[in-house]
Amino acid sequence: GAGVSQSPRYKVAKRGQDVALRCDPISGHVSLFWYQQALGQGPEFLTYFQNEAQLDKSGLPSDRFFAERPEGSVSTLKIQRTQQEDSAVYLCASSVVHEKLFFGSGTQLSVL
Amino acid sequence: AQSVTQLGSHVSVSEGALVLLRCNYSSSVPPYLFWYVQYPNQGLQLLLKYTTGATLVKGINGIEAEFKKSETSFHLTKPSAHMSDAAEYFCAVSFFGGATNKLIFGTGTLLAVQP
């Protein structure tokens, strides 16, 4: 596609439910990033892939958060046993290594 | 620890007036510096970046930002505001030795342009 695509656009989950957020990066982009943006805040780094290798997961807030990119293209961010504090917009971004980062529109997660 | 501070969470200017969005960073190592813009329901878009070389970085439509090491600042300016400039602006940094797109963002400045 022409840009980074994220789905779903909106997700409402009950506390304790598992969720999966999908990111389709721009074709050919080796690098893929996940960021979390809480209301009124700037995005915060979660994790980074280069192809299928997860090179940095230092920003994942707890072991309930898990990300994968098994074939080096599509990525999924999974949150287990969601909590209210997980409510945020989750942003995916992709790039050629060290080049301009392209962001998707994000998935807005609301945990009730 | 590295951090980014954006002074003014809301800035309002009149159409045609100068826009000044402030960004200061804290870092013990030389940074890469970025400005991103976010329009409602859209992804963040890169406006400007500084890596090395000339400290005055120029973008489209008259947007500029100047890296001042002595002031640890990277303020964004635009000489004449347009209604279409209304958006949220984020300053960000990353650092040599790591993934250049592993960014630390400020909390953002919401720019309103009055007619």
Side-chain angles (χ1 to χ4, degrees):
Chain A
V4 178
S5 177
Q6 292 189 247
S7 60
R9 183 70 181 91
Y10 302 95
K11 176 69 178 177
V12 178
K14 292 182 179 179
R15 192 172 56 180
Q17 193 175 2
D18 296 349
V19 298
L21 312 180
R22 177 187 169 103
C23 173
D24 282 87
I26 294 172
S27 178
H29 278 190
V30 169
S31 297
L32 185 146
F33 290 78
W34 284 98
Y35 286 84
Q36 179 191 57
Q37 187 174 16
L39 189 64
Q41 301 296 316
E44 292 192 1
F45 171 81
L46 292 176
T47 187
Y48 160 56
F49 290 86
Q50 189 164 318
N51 296 305
E52 68 278 3
Q54 190 174 20
L55 298 186
D56 189 336
K57 55 181 181 179
S58 61
L60 296 176
S62 77
D63 59 8
R64 296 187 294 104
F65 286 71
F66 172 76
E68 60 183 5
R69 193 185 185 197
E71 298 179 357
S73 55
V74 171
S75 178
T76 303
L77 177 67
K78 297 180 180 179
I79 308 174
Q80 297 177 325
R81 305 180 304 281
T82 52
Q83 303 294 315
Q84 282 192 320
E85 61 263 28
D86 300 335
S87 296
V89 176
Y90 290 85
L91 300 171
C92 177
S94 70
S95 74
V96 176
V97 177
H98 298 316
E99 294 298 322
K100 179 179 175 180
L101 198 58
F102 291 83
F103 281 83
S105 299
T107 293
Q108 185 170 328
L109 173 65
S110 299
V111 181
L112 306 178
Chain B
Q2 295 92 353
S3 65
V4 177
T5 301
Q6 291 184 243
L7 282 175
S9 58
H10 291 79
V11 170
S12 182
V13 300
S14 298
E15 194 171 16
L18 172 72
V19 176
L20 171 61
L21 303 180
R22 298 179 187 273
C23 173
N24 289 86
Y25 68 90
S26 171
S27 170
S28 57
V29 296
Y32 293 126
L33 295 154
F34 304 81
W35 275 101
Y36 280 84
V37 63
Q38 187 174 34
Y39 296 98
N41 298 313
Q42 294 187 26
L44 287 92
Q45 300 171 39
L46 180 66
L47 285 174
L48 298 165
K49 74 174 183 180
Y50 167 79
T51 54
T52 59
T55 56
L56 181 63
V57 182
K58 298 188 177 187
I60 61 171
N61 297 329
I63 290 177
E64 295 181 347
E66 186 171 11
F67 169 51
K68 292 187 176 181
K69 185 177 179 181
S70 61
E71 298 177 7
T72 61
S73 69
F74 191 56
H75 301 330
L76 180 150
T77 60
K78 188 182 181 195
S80 176
H82 191 273
M83 297 296 288
S84 60
D85 295 326
E88 189 152 27
Y89 292 78
F90 292 93
C91 181
V93 300
S94 67
F95 301 97
F96 296 118
T100 52
N101 285 321
K102 180 182 178 181
L103 303 171
I104 299 171
F105 284 89
T107 52
T109 296
L110 188 61
L111 176 66
V113 181
Q114 308 299 326

